[in-house]
């Protein structure tokens, strides 16, 4: 009989459920309903709308896995960080399931979930360096032998993914902007616009994307009669500059830490240019590169289930009275 962990992810604008076998890591069920189209009209995520859509989607998705109920041994849910009302929808559902089916509850940090997207069907392999690039975060992490997470660099303002979202919005395109800008960039010439790489000659190991975003805004505003080619060229130059910025600081960190293993996670880790540039750095520093499958780079419950299994194996449970949502949580640790 399989020991299934049910995981719920609803920290932002994706409702997702997964059932994973705690012994074999086999993904027995996976479903995700993205709210992108609903939020696109507003150019970004509207929290109240997100919560309402989670409240509709999650029970519908749960109904479909009722045949598995007797095999579920624990229910896991993302409780931090994220949008408060979105997190609350998932946690409320997890509490109800825990009560109704008399199951232990596991609280999972969303960022640790992203790290586990590298090990969906295998044992985790720490120590390793990780670049986390999502809509809310841009961080270089070192997960050491004791599984302590050390933050080596992070952004001071916008995140990498968020800057793509904002550039797409400035051009009048939808949300999320990552894939839109990447697609535009494919047909553009990256040499037409000469955006300055942020903090290039600055020793600080940190990121900043707001200045680059403003350079792009000025370039867009200077267009008298914008043509599709202009947007393609701007997207291409912007994407190149943003990726150079990530890699410039990353290489400085590689020089210090000499990671033997390095992973890229988060929604924006799907970006092909970023992947190929980091691949070159890993080759240069003789480091093994770990990537999540493209389908599981963006928010999903499979990575939450996999992170939860680590806690399940150690019987690290919480209760319906103790579980809290921490929308702005900054502390995260695996052990
Ligand atoms: O991890 P994720 O699904 O949600 C958060 O936890 O924030 O990441 C979503 C972010 C969005 O900002 C989206 O525009 C960005 O990831 N993204 C990309 C790409 N695909 C998604 N950014 C750059 N290039 C992409 N191909
Ligand atoms: Zn995420």
């Amino acid at each position: 009989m399989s020991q299934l962990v049910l995981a719920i992810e609803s920290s932002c604008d994706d409702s997702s459920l997964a059932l994973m076998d705690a012994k074999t890591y086999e993904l027995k069920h996976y479903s995700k309903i993205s709210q992108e189209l609903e939020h696109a009209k507003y150019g970004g995520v509207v929290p109240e709308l997100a919560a309402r859509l989670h409240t509709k989607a999650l029970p519908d998705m749960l109904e479909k896995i009722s045949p598995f109920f007797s095999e579920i041994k624990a229910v896991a849910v993302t409780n931090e960080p994220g949008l408060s009302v979105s997190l609350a929808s998932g946690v409320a559902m997890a509490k109800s399931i825990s009560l109704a089916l008399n199951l232990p509850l596991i609280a999972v940090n969303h960022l640790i979930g992203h790290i586990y997207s590298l090990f969906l069907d295998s044992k985790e392999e720490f120590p390793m360096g990780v670049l986390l690039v999502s809509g809310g975060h841009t961080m270089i992490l070192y997960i050491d032998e004791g599984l302590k997470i050390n933050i080596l660099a992070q952004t001071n303002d916008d995140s990498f993914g968020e800057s793509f979202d904002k550039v797409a919005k400035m051009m009048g395109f939808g949300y999320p902007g990552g894939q839109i800008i990447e697609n535009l960039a494919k047909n553009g010439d990256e040499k037409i616009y000469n955006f300055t790489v942020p903090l290039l000659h600055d020793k600080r190991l940190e990121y900043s994307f707001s200045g680059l975003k403003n350079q792009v805004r000025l370039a867009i505003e200077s267009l008298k009669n914008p043509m599709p080619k202009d947007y393609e060229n701007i997207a291409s130059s912007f994407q190149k500059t943003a990726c150079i910025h990530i890699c410039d600081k990353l290489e400085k960190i590689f020089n210090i830490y000499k990671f033997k293993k390095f992973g890229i996670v988060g929604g924006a880790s799907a970006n092909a240019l970023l992947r190929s540039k980091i691949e070159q750095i890993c080759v240069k520093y003789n480091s093994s590169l770990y990537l999540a499958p493209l389908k599981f780079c963006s928010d999903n419950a499979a990575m939450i289930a996999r992170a939860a299994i680590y806690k399940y194996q150690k019987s690290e449970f919480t209760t319906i009275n103790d579980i809290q949502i921490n929308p702005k949580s900054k502390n995260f640790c695996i052990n």
Side-chain angles (χ1 to χ4, degrees), residues 9 11-14 32 36 81 110-111 114 132-137 159-165 175-183 239 265-272 274 297-300 303:
E9 158 62 37
S11 63
C12 189
D13 59 343
D14 293 303
K32 168 164 153 171
E36 283 170 6
H110 182 76
L111 308 184
H114 274 302
L132 169 67
V133 271
S134 67
H137 294 85
S159 76
F160 177 80
E162 188 180 9
S163 68
F164 279 66
D165 295 335
Y175 168 88
Q179 192 62 59
I180 297 170
I181 295 296
E182 182 168 19
N183 289 343
Q239 178 179 252
V265 301
S269 70
N271 187 282
L274 185 68
C297 287
S298 59
D299 292 349
N300 67 85
M303 67 186 195

Side-chain angles (χ1 to χ4, degrees), residues 80-293:
E80 61 178 26
L83 293 174
S84 60
V85 285
S86 291
L87 290 166
S89 323
V91 169
M93 195 170 91
K95 285 183 177 185
S96 314
I97 300 168
S98 163
L99 263 180
L101 301 181
N102 196 20
L103 293 172
L105 202 51
I106 302 173
V108 178
N109 177 291
H110 182 76
L111 308 184
I112 292 177
H114 274 302
I115 294 171
Y116 271 89
S117 67
L118 298 172
F119 308 111
L120 284 177
D121 56 5
S122 59
K123 198 162 165 24
E124 53 277 313
E125 292 182 37
F126 302 123
M128 81 185 306
V130 171
L131 170 70
L132 169 67
V133 271
S134 67
H137 294 85
T138 298
M139 290 173 162
I140 298 175
L141 307 169
Y142 177 59
I143 299 135
D144 65 22
E145 291 81 358
L147 305 196
K148 183 169 174 283
I149 300 178
N150 305 277
I151 301 175
L152 307 182
Q154 58 186 320
T155 181
N156 276 329
D157 40 57
D158 296 342
S159 76
F160 177 80
E162 188 180 9
S163 68
F164 279 66
D165 295 335
K166 289 185 173 168
V167 167
K169 192 173 178 182
M170 287 188 266
M171 291 179 176
F173 296 115
Y175 168 88
Q179 192 62 59
I180 297 170
I181 295 296
E182 182 168 19
N183 289 343
L184 284 171
K186 279 181 194 142
N187 300 318
D189 180 346
E190 60 177 35
K191 294 187 201 72
I192 303 278
Y193 289 85
N194 224 337
F195 299 129
T196 312
V197 179
L199 305 173
L200 188 59
H201 302 294
D202 190 310
K203 283 205 178 95
R204 281 174 294 175
L205 294 175
E206 54 195 54
Y207 290 111
S208 169
F209 290 92
S210 68
L212 174 59
K213 174 191 68 189
N214 283 331
Q215 292 180 59
V216 172
R217 183 175 52 78
L218 293 174
I220 294 171
E221 284 172 5
S222 73
L223 297 171
K224 297 223 163 48
N225 184 18
M227 304 300 278
K229 197 81 223 152
D230 296 318
Y231 288 142
E232 288 166 1
N233 292 336
I234 292 175
S236 187
S237 306
F238 157 72
Q239 178 179 252
K240 179 192 74 175
T241 312
C243 289
I244 292 176
H245 180 33
I246 292 281
C247 291
D248 166 49
K249 299 297 178 188
L250 181 59
E251 195 161 348
K252 292 189 170 106
I253 288 179
F254 256 94
N255 264 308
I256 305 167
Y257 284 85
K258 323 252 185 264
F259 306 119
K260 292 208 170 66
K261 295 175 190 156
F262 193 77
I264 327 173
V265 301
S269 70
N271 187 282
L273 182 65
L274 185 68
R275 283 184 170 219
S276 80
K277 283 189 174 297
I278 293 179
E279 206 175 340
Q280 287 165 22
I281 295 180
C282 286
V283 169
K284 182 169 167 190
Y285 289 86
N286 209 5
S287 176
S288 309
L289 178 62
Y290 289 67
L291 298 166

